[in-house]
Amino acid sequence: MANNVYLPEPMRIVRRYDLIDDVRFFQVRPLEMERALQLNYLPGQFMMVSLAGVGEAPFSISSTPSRPGLLEFGIRKVGIITEELFKLKENEVIGVRGPFGNGFPIDKFEKKDLIIVVGGLGAVPLRSLLLYTLDNRDRFGRIFFLYGARRPAEMLFRREFMELKSREDLHSMLTVDKDDTGRWTEQVGLVTALFKNLKDIDPQNTYATVCGPPVMYKFVIDEIIKLGIPKHQILMTLERRMHCGVGKCGHCVIGSIYTCMDGPVFSYWDVMHMKDLI
Amino acid sequence: MKVLKLKKHNLNDYLDSLRVWGEVYGPVKQGEKYIYGQLDDLSKLDTKMLRTILPVKKFLMPPKFNTFTFDENKYKAELENIPNRIVFGVHPCEIHGLLILDKFFLERFPDPFYGERRRKTAILGLSCVPDDKCFAKSTNTHYVESGFDLAFNDLDNYYLVWVGSSLGDDLVRIRLDLFEEDIKEKDLKHYMEWRNWRDSQYKLNVNLTAMPDIMELNYSSPVWDELGDKCLSCGACSMVCPTCPCYNMSDQIRPSQFTGKRERTWDSCMFKQFALVAGGHNFREARSQRVRLWYTHKLKAFITEFGKAACIGCGRCIDTCPVDINVKTVVKALKGGK
Amino acid sequence: MNKPKVGFYNLSGCSGCLLTILNCENQLLDVFNGAEVVSFLMAQSNNVEKELDIAFIDGSVTTDEQEEFLHELRPRTKKVVCLGSCSCYGGVQAMENEKGTWLKRFNKVYGKKPFKVVKPFESKPVDAFIPVDYYLPGCPIDADQFLYNYARLLRGLPADVPKTPVCLECKWHENECLLLKDKLCLGPVTSAGCKAKCPSHNLPCIGCFGPADESNLTSEFSLLKEKGYTFPEIERKLRLFGGVKFIKQFKSLWKKAQK
Amino acid sequence: MEKSTKVKFNQIRIPALARVEGHGNITVEVLKGKVKDVKLNIPEGPRLFESLVIGKTPEEATSIVPRICAICSVSHRYAAIRAFERALNYKETKATHQLRTLMHYGEMIESHALHAFALALPDFVGYPSAIAMVDKFAPQILKALKLKKFGNLVMEVTNARWTHGENATVGGFGLAPTHKQLFDIKWQAQELIADAEEMVELLRNLSYPTSMEDGIVFMCLKPPTDQYGFVGDRVLISTGEEHPIEKYKELSNERVVEHSTSKRCRYNDRPYVVGALARMNLLGERLRGRAGECFKRCYSLSWIRNPLYGNLAQAIEILYSLEHIPQLIDSILKKIKTLETDAKIQKQPTGTGKNVGAVEAPRGTLYHYYEVNRGIVTGANLVIPTTQNFDSMETHIRVAAQNLLANIENKPLAALTAQERKDIELIFEMIVRSYDPCISCSVHMVEVK
């Protein structure tokens, strides 16, 4: 059976280091170079990571397809599989299959302005989108990147995002709820407070993407709605229990939606329309 | 489509001859109920059966089976030891159930485990006469045009046999001598009379028209809480439903060495852990939410997804739920208020 | 790599859960090779009591010696696993069957002469004395469920014991529903794992795996009541393996249902 | 796990008996070269089973009593069924009886294989466990495990589970086995006979210590036919007496002792022994076939004095059971059509009555007595094989201690070398083990009025 959708593909862990306290960065690649170069995916898609004897779980891809050959994940230690994943060292082999899910509708973003709003761990999938748009900078309009973390020590990819601050073609705003270091040079306050800095938004020509903890959605979406952006141009990514990634096992079902196939990226219109989605 | 005739007294001989192709299964009485059992002994075959406890899906995605064996990090799919099987006696409604599962498992992201078993399972349909729990006429699943290899229509002392696939044709050719090819006008008349008579035998009508709208309107209805209070969360409804496909995965390893298997078992969205994610959040904590999901998924979501409800009117839920929660009672509760 | 150190212990019980392990004849060498079995009194005589990665406990606590043993065991053990209904719930011996205090019942059986060897008391589950990490219920435990979890625990993974109702496995075996045949079956409120052995033999579930994850007792009661069963009949069945906690929960629910 | 009380200077103490079911320890006190006191202490926690069955239906009680002990759960179940059926005037059909016999053979094979080969044998060849023996005795251990597994299979097929199966009930069975299952058992039994005989030979060729030898009174049930067997309604005693099981109280004379949560038994104020060795001594002459040949080859006058031959007796009983299974199954298969109806449970008992029922458990005669009032149990009394054997165990330990000390010129205990002490302790343990004691069984059975 050549195309077994459930068959994990062996991949080697190339690099791993802690992003923050309980979130670890994993860079993996297929064992064969040829296969590595064939890897194709969209920002917002996810992979099923498989540890033989332990099980499988879905993880958002954090790398961008515009930098081929490698896959990157930011994984929080929260369950049995991640606990085991954290025990693995560089050069060990894990099983990976995918990509799954719909991903962000990149084509629709062409020539449009883009507001990327991140809370906490939401940086994992949205980093993929951010890096993708920066790598293809001329295809998109203005890009606003708003990232709120609780404390400086809880900001994922902090150094990387700080470096991006110097780019003139990106409006990057980083904020923390509270600075407990005394050395934080960026904003302090909630991510919603950053919206006042967004100038001259043309709502019909702007897409907003949001990812963060459930509590954040409501407040952030209120702000986006205030900007007049249509509901179908507001996109968010959601989480559910998954065993297959391909709409079979049923665990991620919500109404007629399989989060793994029809999501994990949904428009705010979907969310309003589909009960139980958030 | 080719149609043939088979004299009734030749049925057992014919089924016996099919063993050259694969294992032969059919309805067998077990206690007061029926199951699809292996027909080592054709005298066990009972063509009068109404519904088996488990539907045909048990052949295509067994309650528990291995998907992969593994060592260290090499996975090997377990697809080789699946035998050829012939399942005789599948009623029209259940063939409709198979068509739904086919869509589900074979269209987007084909499932090789289902696909391989489906390919190796010949479906031999059999006409039936409804009892007071059947409502296939309401779901329009009481006749079949596709999804089978052979379909037997019982007309007193002979069967009209529809050949529905090239495999079906091959199976006929194993004992072509038992079949007659000349369908006469009186056969057609006989068949039409039988249809009319059989259509008149449906006593139970469960009207699913407008269910999506009704369910939408009833989203916050207290009906769900009442059903949730009553539901035993035993999951039996999911096990017996011909269109319930949900499953769980678990990796089993040996204590002293790193070899193991990845096992797949039937699951039910009626169980508390079903939508529980790592970190402890449960998306459907309340039993009422789970009952609502089950019925909404069957009677509303499937229509959005596949254009028709995932209920085939087989009556298994009516026959199975100890506390009388089933398509009939739920639809009634939603439509009639109480 | 060092093999994990494990110990198998038996308190008051029938030893059926340890016997179930010894009954895994085909996997027995695997069981003993996968770990360093430092203590297994029933199977070997060269037992050493030392630091443990995992302790498996069969049986309930009924004497002061056993209580002391648990307090001695816990600090030197990383994971404590209860095997079977006795250690998980107290076992049949915890059903507080007849009226009166435990002492009264004890004296009735043994007379008033005190024992010199031990001080006995009413049977209690292990977690009444020390924290327990995992529970594998059953009377006795199921061999496959044990082997699956044993391998997981040796690898440092948490136990995985789904407590879905017996009905799940019962349907897998294509049994007729005994409740629908008006039998007093505890299937819907009892945890599966037993492979539905009793219903598969036309015998109603006696609840030997203890409560399911989400036992809807209220609904089970109304159903059984409808079928003509009385409170004492239902209670007697639930008491067999339910354990003290379950009995209490069941009593309060029953009172609620009466209102 | 027992309290690590300090061993006194004049004591030999074995703190926790290994490779037995349940908890026991031995203390032997010696004063001036004379063995003063021998105690087999049983600190097992009481579970008050006698009280648990009161107020239950016979059906529920039959589910409760096997939980007394996993190793003889089938015998407990069978004894309870016999007692209830005798009390409530049930007639056992032939098909039911044969299925029950098959189930009982299953337990004999499994329990004996576990005990003789995995628990007792390691002592004779100097290993701490059967698993440790694999290095040198792999083929034998694998054969033993195969036999044990087969016993479990028989119990699973007849009684639904290895341990605590629920299929056998008052009035019959929940579900009769299928033709295929029975045929499979028959074939396997035939194949295993050679293995069982080989294991008998292995045990026959061991060297048996003699230091504990002393005359023994034996008791067992008398099978109703002139064949060997494990059930009956009369009791045979090696003194030549014969009594109905209704006299079980006078035969066992249970009493309470301080150092044990189990009661003790004597007959005519003498310790007596039940179990495989008793059955062989009293009924061995009835054995035919290969088991009969083995018996003739193995039997000697030591068998009436030396409990260690109990292990060998068990091995011969495995062979006996295996040899009888094929013909038993042939006879069951002839009735396979009626089996499904004949052996099926009749309606649940609701009657009134009282009586005793007895079976030979692997380790000896087991009596269950119940009083039932309109379908509810109002009284129970159970006498357990191990309880009956305890006094004899103490007697033989005493004899052994005296003889072993005499062999080393009655040295004071304090002067014993570690090896000398270990050798003595090993003999004590071997004595206890040879009775295949089931300690958790022994603890719980006293009369409730």
Side-chain angles (χ1 to χ4, degrees):
Chain A
M1 201 75 210
N3 297 320
N4 192 329
V5 74
Y6 302 109
L7 180 70
E9 186 183 336
M11 295 204 192
R12 191 181 303 289
I13 300 174
V14 181
R15 278 173 80 201
R16 42 133 239 191
Y17 57 83
D18 286 344
L19 291 169
I20 61 170
D21 226 9
D22 58 346
V23 180
R24 188 168 289 181
F25 178 76
F26 287 89
Q27 198 174 46
V28 305
R29 64 165 170 80
L31 302 182
E32 313 292 331
M33 169 80 76
E34 215 165 293
R35 170 74 191 119
L37 294 173
Q38 284 167 0
L39 273 182
N40 202 14
Y41 56 93
L42 285 171
Q45 285 194 298
F46 66 92
M47 308 286 283
M48 296 297 292
V49 173
S50 192
L51 293 181
V54 186
E56 274 191 318
F59 295 101
S60 300
I61 305 169
S62 199
S63 51
T64 164
S66 50
R67 302 175 191 178
L70 288 168
L71 284 170
E72 291 167 355
F73 302 96
I75 295 174
R76 186 152 70 104
K77 189 152 115 180
V78 69
I80 299 159
I81 291 164
T82 51
E83 188 119 349
E84 292 303 304
L85 209 47
F86 269 52
K87 290 179 189 163
L88 297 182
K89 299 188 183 70
E90 281 164 7
N91 285 327
E92 289 199 74
V93 174
I94 58 173
V96 179
R97 60 187 178 95
F100 299 122
N102 55 357
F104 288 104
I106 301 277
D107 292 347
K108 289 188 186 159
F109 295 173
E110 296 241 353
K111 304 287 170 247
K112 303 284 196 299
D113 288 355
L114 201 53
I115 306 173
I116 300 173
V117 190
V118 176
L121 211 61
V124 172
L126 289 183
R127 173 178 177 260
S128 176
L129 178 65
L130 176 69
L131 297 182
Y132 181 85
T133 51
L134 292 177
D135 286 351
N136 297 278
R137 192 61 195 88
D138 51 335
R139 284 168 56 196
F140 306 97
R142 292 183 298 166
I143 300 172
F144 300 93
F145 181 62
L146 285 57
Y147 184 4
R150 272 192 296 197
R151 302 178 295 123
E154 286 182 36
M155 182 167 279
L156 268 56
F157 306 103
R158 190 179 58 204
R159 191 176 298 161
E160 188 179 322
F161 292 151
M162 292 293 262
E163 277 167 16
L164 291 176
K165 293 278 303 180
S166 59
R167 275 184 83 132
E168 282 176 7
D169 56 357
L170 170 73
H171 304 269
S172 173
M173 290 165 259
L174 307 178
T175 183
V176 292
D177 296 357
K178 207 179 146 212
D179 174 28
D180 51 0
T181 61
R183 281 174 281 123
W184 180 247
T185 54
E186 305 301 307
Q187 320 262 4
V188 175
L190 297 174
V191 73
T192 42
L194 300 174
F195 278 79
K196 63 178 184 295
N197 304 325
L198 300 178
K199 296 278 152 46
D200 309 320
I201 297 295
D202 170 9
Q204 294 306 320
N205 279 313
T206 303
Y207 273 84
T209 62
V210 192
C211 188
V215 286
M216 190 193 84
Y217 284 102
K218 188 182 177 312
F219 300 103
V220 168
I221 284 165
D222 279 353
E223 292 296 328
I224 299 172
I225 297 281
K226 270 190 231 158
L227 293 171
I229 296 173
K231 295 178 190 73
H232 67 274
Q233 285 174 212
I234 306 170
L235 299 157
M236 46 185 61
T237 98
L238 302 178
E239 167 207 37
R240 279 295 183 284
R241 178 169 164 188
M242 294 173 193
H243 284 301
C244 66
V246 290
K248 305 285 187 273
C249 81
H251 286 84
C252 70
V253 81
I254 311 154
S256 63
I257 302 283
Y258 286 86
T259 316
C260 64
M261 283 201 303
D262 306 307
V265 176
F266 292 98
S267 76
Y268 182 51
W269 167 248
D270 292 329
V271 172
M272 280 177 65
H273 179 75
M274 286 295 311
K275 295 191 165 83
D276 289 341
L277 215 50
I278 53 172
Chain B
M1 200 179 289
K2 196 155 105 183
V3 185
L4 302 164
K5 274 162 74 174
L6 177 73
K7 292 224 168 62
K8 245 184 188 171
H9 61 79
N10 283 331
L11 178 68
N12 282 10
D13 276 355
Y14 178 59
L15 292 177
D16 202 31
S17 74
L18 294 182
R19 297 188 206 279
V20 299
W21 189 78
E23 300 167 0
V24 180
Y25 291 79
V28 163
K29 199 154 190 196
Q30 181 170 295
E32 288 159 32
K33 304 264 177 195
Y34 294 88
I35 62 161
Y36 289 114
Q38 194 165 357
L39 295 172
D40 302 328
D41 172 5
L42 278 163
S43 68
K44 287 195 289 184
L45 174 70
D46 190 336
T47 51
K48 290 280 172 289
M49 75 99 175
L50 272 156
R51 61 183 72 73
T52 51
I53 293 181
L54 289 183
V56 186
K57 74 171 175 184
K58 78 169 182 180
F59 294 104
L60 308 177
M61 47 169 299
K64 198 173 198 169
F65 70 94
N66 256 359
T67 56
F68 295 97
T69 51
F70 56 77
D71 52 40
E72 298 306 330
N73 258 301
K74 236 175 95 198
Y75 294 84
K76 193 176 158 278
E78 286 256 313
L79 286 164
E80 278 149 31
N81 298 325
I82 299 164
N84 279 348
R85 283 183 293 211
I86 295 140
V87 186
F88 174 77
V90 185
H91 289 172
C93 61
E94 263 214 71
I95 293 173
H96 279 275
L98 283 180
L99 290 172
I100 290 172
L101 288 182
D102 286 349
K103 275 192 175 174
F104 187 84
F105 279 114
L106 299 177
E107 286 186 1
R108 261 170 100 188
F109 297 110
D111 180 325
F113 302 103
Y114 178 90
E116 188 73 2
R117 285 182 174 80
R118 182 71 164 109
R119 262 190 300 284
K120 289 181 166 174
T121 308
I123 300 296
L124 272 53
L126 177 65
S127 61
C128 56
V129 181
D131 68 354
D132 58 346
K133 289 167 186 161
C134 292
F135 56 100
K137 201 174 152 195
S138 315
T139 51
N140 202 20
T141 51
H142 55 324
Y143 291 103
V144 274
E145 285 85 39
S146 62
F148 56 86
D149 298 293
L150 294 174
F152 291 66
N153 205 107
D154 184 340
L155 295 177
D156 300 335
N157 55 355
Y158 67 95
Y159 294 104
L160 275 185
V161 182
W162 273 259
V163 182
S165 71
S166 105
L167 170 62
D169 197 54
D170 290 347
L171 293 179
V172 164
R173 280 167 201 287
I174 290 175
R175 281 301 299 273
L176 202 56
D177 58 308
L178 294 176
F179 292 88
E180 295 161 43
E181 295 200 47
D182 57 330
I183 307 294
K184 301 196 176 69
E185 207 178 319
K186 74 171 191 339
D187 297 323
L188 178 69
K189 209 175 136 224
H190 197 169
Y191 175 63
M192 288 316 294
E193 278 165 9
W194 177 84
R195 272 183 79 125
N196 288 335
W197 170 79
R198 189 239 196 181
D199 286 354
S200 71
Q201 295 302 303
Y202 281 92
K203 302 283 184 305
L204 177 62
N205 179 28
V206 179
N207 189 350
L208 297 178
T209 329
M211 270 327 279
D213 290 352
I214 289 165
M215 295 197 111
E216 184 72 32
L217 291 168
N218 272 303
Y219 184 80
S220 312
S221 162
V223 166
W224 298 119
D225 295 323
E226 285 162 28
L227 292 170
D229 286 345
K230 214 169 149 191
C231 173
L232 291 164
S233 301
C234 75
C237 49
S238 303
M239 301 305 114
V240 303
C241 180
T243 65
C244 265
C246 291
Y247 65 81
N248 233 329
M249 303 291 294
S250 71
D251 279 14
Q252 321 242 343
I253 36 173
R254 286 183 58 182
S256 69
Q257 47 183 259
F258 199 88
T259 56
K261 54 187 184 181
R262 180 160 285 176
E263 213 170 59
R264 178 159 149 181
T265 47
W266 286 1
D267 200 356
S268 168
C269 58
M270 290 294 191
F271 297 145
K272 201 170 182 173
Q273 312 89 325
F274 191 78
L276 185 71
V277 292
H281 184 70
N282 192 339
F283 286 95
R284 274 183 298 272
E285 180 86 37
R287 208 182 280 122
S288 58
Q289 291 175 314
R290 283 175 261 143
V291 177
R292 184 173 63 200
L293 176 86
W294 202 96
Y295 284 95
T296 318
H297 196 227
K298 296 264 175 236
L299 305 181
K300 174 170 180 269
F302 251 81
I303 298 176
T304 322
E305 208 180 347
F306 294 118
K308 60 184 198 177
C311 175
I312 56 160
C314 71
R316 280 191 178 81
C317 52
I318 304 177
D319 208 28
T320 302
C321 179
V323 291
D324 216 21
I325 300 176
N326 50 53
V327 171
K328 179 178 86 172
T329 53
V330 169
V331 167
K332 197 172 159 217
L334 291 174
K335 284 195 165 171
K338 266 258 166 168
Chain C
M1 206 182 87
N2 277 342
K3 288 179 183 175
K5 292 178 185 58
V6 305
F8 293 90
Y9 301 95
N10 167 241
L11 307 177
S12 288
C14 74
S15 307
C17 298
L18 296 185
L19 182 67
T20 300
I21 299 170
L22 298 181
N23 280 347
C24 302
E25 291 90 359
N26 290 350
Q27 296 89 357
L28 204 55
L29 296 178
D30 222 19
V31 167
F32 279 80
N33 287 338
E36 186 191 333
V37 180
V38 301
S39 182
F40 196 154
L41 200 59
M42 188 167 148
Q44 62 187 33
S45 50
N46 52 337
N47 299 302
V48 192
E49 294 309 323
K50 58 176 176 184
E51 303 280 300
L52 287 175
D53 291 294
I54 315 160
F56 294 93
I57 303 179
D58 160 354
S60 69
V61 191
T62 61
T63 69
D64 56 341
E65 276 192 354
Q66 291 166 343
E67 186 184 344
E68 276 170 39
F69 164 73
L70 290 177
H71 289 302
E72 182 271 319
L73 175 81
R74 184 68 254 200
R76 61 179 165 95
T77 305
K78 288 199 190 108
K79 300 281 178 203
V80 170
V81 185
C82 282
L83 294 183
S85 295
C86 293
S87 52
C88 293
Y89 306 116
V92 280
Q93 58 269 26
M95 72 172 90
E96 297 178 18
N97 186 38
E98 290 182 284
K99 288 200 181 78
T101 61
W102 179 83
L103 190 66
K104 212 172 129 190
R105 281 176 276 136
F106 178 83
N107 288 340
K108 198 170 150 193
V109 174
Y110 280 92
K112 288 200 173 142
K113 211 162 145 194
F115 291 123
K116 276 200 171 163
V117 273
V118 279
K119 232 189 246 139
F121 47 73
E122 179 104 80
S123 166
K124 287 190 174 67
V126 170
D127 62 8
F129 302 95
I130 56 166
V132 169
D133 298 282
Y134 305 112
Y135 301 85
L136 260 71
C139 188
I141 52 166
D142 175 72
D144 290 331
Q145 198 170 61
F146 168 76
L147 290 169
Y148 167 57
N149 280 292
Y150 184 65
R152 283 177 70 89
L153 291 163
L154 293 186
R155 279 204 70 194
L157 298 173
D160 173 27
V161 187
K163 293 193 176 177
T164 44
V166 172
C167 306
L168 175 76
E169 293 182 342
C170 192
K171 278 288 153 292
W172 291 2
H173 288 86
E174 300 199 67
N175 299 320
E176 292 177 70
C177 179
L178 293 169
L179 277 166
L180 288 174
K181 293 175 96 181
D182 296 337
K183 297 261 175 66
L184 203 169
C185 181
L186 297 182
V189 294
T190 302
S191 173
C194 57
K195 308 194 176 88
K197 290 278 186 199
C198 294
S200 302
H201 287 77
N202 300 320
L203 301 161
C205 170
I206 54 172
C208 79
F209 268 62
D213 210 14
E214 196 189 23
S215 301
N216 191 345
L217 281 176
T218 323
S219 182
E220 170 92 0
F221 287 153
S222 352
L223 179 65
L224 290 173
K225 224 170 111 183
E226 257 171 52
K227 302 204 178 289
Y229 289 102
T230 62
F231 176 73
E233 280 172 322
I234 305 168
E235 190 202 11
R236 232 169 39 216
K237 292 270 186 201
L238 278 170
R239 258 172 194 273
L240 288 182
F241 295 93
V244 183
K245 268 184 254 169
F246 195 48
I247 293 167
K248 276 193 189 130
Q249 181 197 352
F250 142 75
K251 272 188 171 166
S252 73
L253 275 168
W254 179 263
K255 270 181 203 148
K256 235 193 259 168
Q258 298 305 299
K259 273 172 198 166
Chain D
M1 99 175 32
E2 277 77 31
K3 267 185 224 167
S4 51
T5 23
K6 249 213 76 64
V7 180
K8 288 183 203 144
F9 72 97
N10 65 338
Q11 264 188 358
I12 299 176
R13 182 176 156 84
I14 294 162
L17 280 164
R19 282 182 276 126
V20 296
E21 194 284 332
H23 303 287
N25 62 72
I26 304 168
T27 49
V28 174
E29 268 185 37
V30 181
L31 207 66
K32 289 181 187 154
K34 284 265 175 261
V35 177
K36 212 179 145 243
D37 191 26
V38 174
K39 279 202 178 92
L40 184 55
N41 302 292
I42 303 298
E44 182 87 25
R47 295 184 289 160
L48 314 188
F49 265 90
E50 311 74 10
S51 145
L52 298 183
V53 297
I54 304 299
K56 302 291 199 294
T57 63
E59 177 202 9
E60 287 157 353
T62 343
S63 293
I64 295 171
V65 287
R67 266 79 188 184
I68 290 167
C69 167
I71 298 178
C72 20
S73 65
V74 161
S75 289
H76 277 293
R77 198 172 187 88
Y78 194 2
I81 288 171
R82 281 184 73 81
F84 282 124
E85 290 188 350
R86 281 162 59 93
L88 302 173
N89 294 318
Y90 272 67
K91 200 163 156 37
E92 186 187 42
T93 66
K94 190 137 195 236
T96 305
H97 178 75
Q98 287 178 332
L99 261 190
R100 284 174 179 169
T101 309
L102 180 62
M103 164 179 90
H104 203 185
Y105 283 164
E107 180 172 88
M108 284 295 168
I109 295 168
E110 193 281 328
S111 176
H112 282 353
L114 172 69
H115 178 259
F117 312 137
L119 304 183
L121 179 60
D123 289 328
F124 289 87
V125 288
Y127 281 89
S129 72
I131 297 292
M133 284 173 62
V134 167
D135 288 347
K136 272 205 178 152
F137 293 89
Q140 287 88 346
I141 291 299
L142 290 177
K143 274 177 190 147
L145 288 178
K146 235 163 86 188
L147 287 166
K148 187 167 129 48
K149 190 177 175 53
F150 173 74
N152 272 325
L153 173 77
V154 174
M155 286 194 278
E156 189 176 7
V157 166
T158 49
N159 199 28
R161 268 202 288 214
W162 301 334
T163 303
H164 302 332
E166 297 286 328
N167 196 31
T169 63
V170 178
F173 285 86
L175 188 73
T178 63
H179 193 285
K180 220 173 169 174
Q181 285 174 314
L182 290 171
F183 217 79
D184 178 37
I185 288 178
K186 180 184 160 183
W187 277 28
Q188 287 200 36
Q190 282 165 332
E191 274 174 30
L192 286 168
I193 288 172
D195 287 350
E197 200 170 342
E198 202 178 308
M199 293 307 283
V200 170
E201 284 305 298
L202 174 71
L203 292 195
R204 185 169 78 95
N205 292 319
L206 299 172
S207 87
Y208 288 79
T210 54
S211 52
M212 77 298 293
E213 287 193 354
D214 191 27
I216 307 174
V217 174
F218 293 106
M219 253 189 230
C220 80
L221 292 177
K222 184 186 176 194
T225 63
D226 58 358
Q227 292 182 345
Y228 201 84
F230 302 122
V231 291
D233 294 336
R234 297 184 70 77
V235 180
L236 280 178
I237 310 176
S238 55
T239 53
E241 296 164 75
E242 194 182 314
H243 297 283
I245 56 169
E246 281 80 357
K247 287 183 78 178
Y248 75 99
K249 271 188 175 174
E250 291 87 337
L251 292 169
S252 57
N253 296 298
E254 284 193 309
R255 69 183 198 285
V256 173
V257 293
E258 275 179 345
H259 62 282
S260 161
T261 48
S262 161
K263 280 194 172 183
R264 295 301 171 91
C265 297
R266 285 188 168 218
Y267 177 61
N268 282 345
D269 215 27
R270 272 190 76 181
Y272 66 94
V273 168
V274 294
L277 189 61
R279 295 190 287 265
M280 280 294 153
N281 270 302
L282 291 162
L283 305 171
E285 292 293 329
R286 299 179 176 202
L287 287 169
R288 298 285 171 271
R290 287 157 92 163
E293 287 161 26
C294 278
F295 174 75
K296 284 195 195 98
R297 219 167 28 238
C298 299
Y299 192 77
S300 70
L301 282 179
S302 305
W303 286 50
I304 56 171
R305 299 176 57 80
N306 189 335
L308 296 191
Y309 285 99
N311 306 323
L312 187 48
Q314 288 184 329
I316 297 175
E317 284 195 336
I318 294 177
L319 183 59
Y320 160 81
S321 304
L322 285 172
E323 270 188 294
H324 272 69
I325 283 175
Q327 65 188 63
L328 181 63
I329 287 184
D330 281 344
S331 156
I332 297 175
L333 284 176
K334 262 184 233 150
K335 316 191 204 34
I336 195 81
K337 285 242 160 67
T338 63
L339 190 65
E340 284 175 20
T341 44
D342 268 20
K344 212 158 180 161
I345 314 173
Q346 303 159 19
K347 61 179 187 309
Q348 293 311 327
T350 50
T352 300
K354 54 188 170 184
N355 213 332
V356 61
V359 301
E360 284 290 322
R363 39 202 65 67
T365 316
L366 169 66
Y367 304 95
H368 276 220
Y369 167 85
Y370 297 103
E371 291 168 12
V372 188
N373 188 5
R374 275 185 279 174
I376 296 292
V377 178
T378 51
N381 190 11
L382 296 86
V383 180
I384 306 298
T386 300
T387 315
Q388 301 171 63
N389 285 335
F390 274 136
D391 273 10
S392 175
M393 290 182 218
E394 281 182 1
T395 308
H396 285 279
I397 292 172
R398 179 185 290 270
V399 174
Q402 201 63 70
N403 290 336
L404 291 168
L405 288 172
N407 285 351
I408 46 171
E409 287 130 21
N410 290 325
K411 260 199 246 179
L413 289 189
L416 293 183
T417 64
Q419 190 56 47
E420 284 167 343
R421 191 176 269 271
K422 232 174 126 188
D423 290 345
I424 295 175
E425 286 173 0
L426 178 67
I427 294 291
F428 291 173
E429 287 195 66
M430 284 171 80
I431 293 168
V432 174
R433 239 168 250 145
S434 71
Y435 288 85
D436 190 4
C438 209
I439 296 176
S440 53
C441 254
S442 70
V443 170
H444 311 284
M445 294 309 123
V446 202
E447 187 177 10
V448 178
K449 296 232 172 67

